[in-house]
Amino acid sequence: MRHWFEDQLEHPNPVWVRELRQSARLHRTPLILALITSMMALLICSVGGSVSVTLEPAKVGVALFHTFFSVAFALVSWLGPAVASSSIASERSNRTWEALLLTGLTPARIARGKFFSALTYIGLYLVTLAPVGALPFLFGGVTPTEVIIAFVLMALVAALSVAFGLAMSSKLSSPAVAIIVTLVLAIPGSMFLFLLLGPALSISVHELWPSVDAGPPIWLPAAYVRADFGVEYLVLLVLGPLVATVIPGWLLFEVTVSNMSDPSADRSSGVRRWFLVSAPAITATLAAFVAVIPGRSGPTVAAVTLFCFLVTVAFLFMGEPLWPSRRVVETWQHTQARMLKSEIWWSRSSIRRFLGPGILQASSLLLVLGLSVIGLLVTCLLAMRLPPIRIRQVLAVNGYLAGFFVFVVGLGAWVRSRAHSSVGPRMLMIAALFSITVGPWIAMAIAGVVSQTDKAVLVAAPSPTFALVMSDALTTHAAGWQERISAGAMAAGGWTVFGAFLLGAARVRVRRLHSDHQRSLAELEALL
């Protein structure tokens, strides 16, 4: 580690250095910083002057604290993506991207340089706003530790915002389009997360730790200071934020590197490594949440969350090529010859090929690891010694979602095998899943009107949301609950068989297309 730090100090990232030198030459940067700081100071003074008439100093400090960091969150979550979204796209529009590649820098190193340069620029705003943010604890009600923790959390939000902007910039070629698309996604998304993770989540946190107030948006710094230290503290305030920060940030970085790489290069291994680490990490975090948070719906919420994560990865893997390019295959063969006698297991050709490009490898990895983490979640939940009725709910919900997950993997592989790009298959996949989710309930409503019986709900068994009906049936034991469980089990079995058939059909088609492609290349080489 000491050698790594010394190397970074002596030989910093050249892209980072170039971006900093360009920013230092701009005369508008100090003016923008001074203007934003002055506006923030005037806002804080206005709020403090208006509330100090009716409130005591301690409450004035709390109001200023939440006002400042709410505005800082909006500034960071909107300005960070806007600054980062034009960095890579501007290189392509100015026709300097090829010159940057000719320097010999890898796409990963270029992405790190762009990330640190944008993050440094956003960090300047946080540094200049620090004196204004320190005003609240002068009134009381807020400790200096809470202010420091809030600034650290703002830095983490800035890092995620910059990573999101870079991922968008790496996909688009026009800076103007990149900024517009990024802001259109960032502004409503940040507002939704602010309301969900702020005032809404603070109510549940107040029930667990009464010392943390319910309702204010910036409650996490107070929770770090005032909450009782224990298992709940480690899981909810350490493990949860760590996973929620590292996993999305790592994915955005790998997506950025993949978009910056040449189409014939290996653009899949980074995302595959991310999935190998993130799937068990998210599963363990969900199991820990269920263990420390009391509630009957905890196991069901954990199962649905894990299923949504796996479906998202399925859409991500649909961007895979049908098979590895000749350039990637040549690289594998060269590495295999060079590492033939190596004892390093991750350098072996079989592992590199499995993590390399190809829709078949991606589908196999997703299917095996996805079913494994679902089984891991079930094992962790059963080890918590739940009541028998909760155990049956866990088995029913996870069993149905596991069967439907096999269908999702098979459908994604089959649709991708019949197209040369990933945009069309993804849109078709969205339409298919939406129809499968909503269609059975529409049919159930029609059948209920016609038959006027309670058995009409069985028509909705093919919908993946029927797993919640199975969970409710096991809880209430209402009339016909056994029929609902049987219908759900049959639907899950049908989805499993259908998914396996689609996956096999995709495998046959991809191998046939690959053989035809190889035969065409061989004929062309023979003619040459």
Side-chain angles (χ1 to χ4, degrees), residues 175-233:
V177 175
I179 293 175
I180 293 174
V181 173
T182 302
L183 290 180
V184 167
L185 296 176
I187 292 177
S190 62
M191 295 175 63
F192 173 75
L193 291 177
F194 181 78
L195 295 176
L196 178 63
L197 302 180
L201 189 57
S202 64
I203 299 175
S204 302
V205 175
H206 177 72
E207 297 177 357
L208 183 62
W209 293 306
S211 59
V212 181
D213 297 332
I218 313 298
W219 56 266
L220 191 55
Y224 280 111
V225 176
R226 303 174 188 177
D228 299 329
F229 186 79
V231 179
E232 295 86 357
Y233 187 99

Side-chain angles (χ1 to χ4, degrees), residues 4-87:
W4 183 83
F5 278 111
E6 291 177 354
D7 182 69
Q8 294 299 316
L9 292 176
E10 295 177 1
H11 305 91
N13 191 291
V15 179
W16 185 19
V17 174
R18 189 199 67 170
E19 296 285 340
L20 292 181
R21 289 176 178 174
Q22 289 180 349
S23 300
R25 296 190 186 101
L26 298 177
H27 297 288
R28 66 174 182 265
T29 300
L31 298 178
I32 295 175
L33 294 175
L35 179 62
I36 292 180
T37 304
S38 302
M39 293 176 61
M40 182 68 78
L42 290 176
L43 176 63
I44 295 299
C45 291
S46 300
V47 174
S50 60
V51 301
S52 61
V53 179
T54 57
L55 298 179
E56 57 187 12
K59 295 183 179 180
V60 173
V62 174
L64 293 179
F65 175 81
H66 291 287
T67 302
F68 173 81
F69 283 102
S70 297
V71 177
F73 175 83
L75 179 66
V76 167
S77 59
W78 298 350
L79 187 61
V83 171
S85 60
S86 61
S87 58

Side-chain angles (χ1 to χ4, degrees), residues 68 109 170 277 383 391 451 459 528:
F68 173 81
R109 196 171 185 187
S170 63
V277 176
I391 294 177
S451 62
V459 179
L528 293 175

